[in-house]
Amino acid sequence: MPTIGVDCEIILDGVGYFVKPGSYRMAQPRIRRASVRADGGEAYVDLGPGRRTWSMTILCLNDLVGYDGRPTGLSGQYYRDALRTSYLSSTGRTLLFSEPTGGTPIPVHFDYYAENACDLHTQQVPLSSGAPGGLSYEVTIELVEA
C-alpha cells in the first residue's frame, strides 16, 4: 500500500502518484442562487460550499524516486496504465482519493483525462520510444467530489 510522504504525493484508486510541481489545484465554489423576493426585488441566496474539484498533472515517468531516495521500481508506462484503467473503469462508480495532506480518503468521480507522451531530455513528444524502459508521460486529470 502506498504511503503519502514516503513513496507518493497522492493516492488514487489504491495507486500512489507524484504530482508535477505547480500543477496541483483544488477549487470549491460556493453555491449561490438568485431568487425573487416578495416585493419583486431580487436577492441572492447562499446555499453554502459546493463540491470540491481537483486538477493536477501526474508524473508518469520512468525512474521516479521516493522521498526516502529509493527508486519506486515502477515504469512511466505502469503509472499511465494504472491511471487509464481507473479512468475507464470509473463509469458509474466512485474512486477513493487521498490528498497530499493525507487524511481520510475522499470519494471522487474521475472527470477528465489527457496525456502527453514526452521525452524528458528534449521536452518533445517522441515518435517512437527507443528506450528500454518505455515512454514517460505527463497526464492531466480532474477529479470531482462525489
Side-chain angles (χ1 to χ4, degrees):
M1 183 69 179
T3 305
I4 291 175
V6 176
D7 55 1
C8 64
E9 287 178 301
I10 66 155
I11 300 171
L12 177 63
D13 204 16
V15 178
Y17 298 98
F18 288 96
V19 178
K20 183 177 182 178
S23 73
Y24 181 87
R25 181 170 184 253
M26 189 280 288
Q28 186 174 26
R30 293 195 72 81
I31 306 296
R32 294 185 177 94
R33 182 179 72 206
S35 64
V36 179
R37 295 188 309 239
D39 66 1
E42 192 173 69
Y44 283 93
V45 178
D46 185 350
L47 300 173
R51 294 180 182 187
R52 293 176 285 181
T53 60
W54 294 265
S55 61
M56 65 200 83
T57 300
I58 303 295
L59 297 173
C60 300
L61 308 176
N62 295 317
D63 306 322
L64 282 173
V65 176
Y67 291 100
D68 59 2
R70 290 187 284 178
T72 63
L74 303 172
S75 69
Q77 190 69 45
Y78 170 84
Y79 288 116
R80 181 261 183 202
D81 291 347
L83 274 175
R84 190 81 183 137
T85 298
S86 292
Y87 179 70
L88 294 174
S89 68
S90 66
T91 304
R93 73 179 183 101
T94 59
L95 307 174
L96 291 179
F97 168 64
S98 295
E99 296 180 282
T101 56
T104 305
I106 304 159
V108 296
H109 297 285
F110 202 145
D111 200 47
Y112 178 81
Y113 176 98
E115 67 182 44
N116 179 35
C118 59
D119 179 343
L120 297 179
H121 299 294
T122 63
Q123 297 298 314
Q124 296 178 1
V125 176
L127 296 176
S128 65
S129 68
L135 287 175
S136 289
Y137 298 85
E138 288 185 353
V139 179
T140 301
I141 65 171
E142 187 169 304
L143 308 170
V144 178
E145 188 173 22

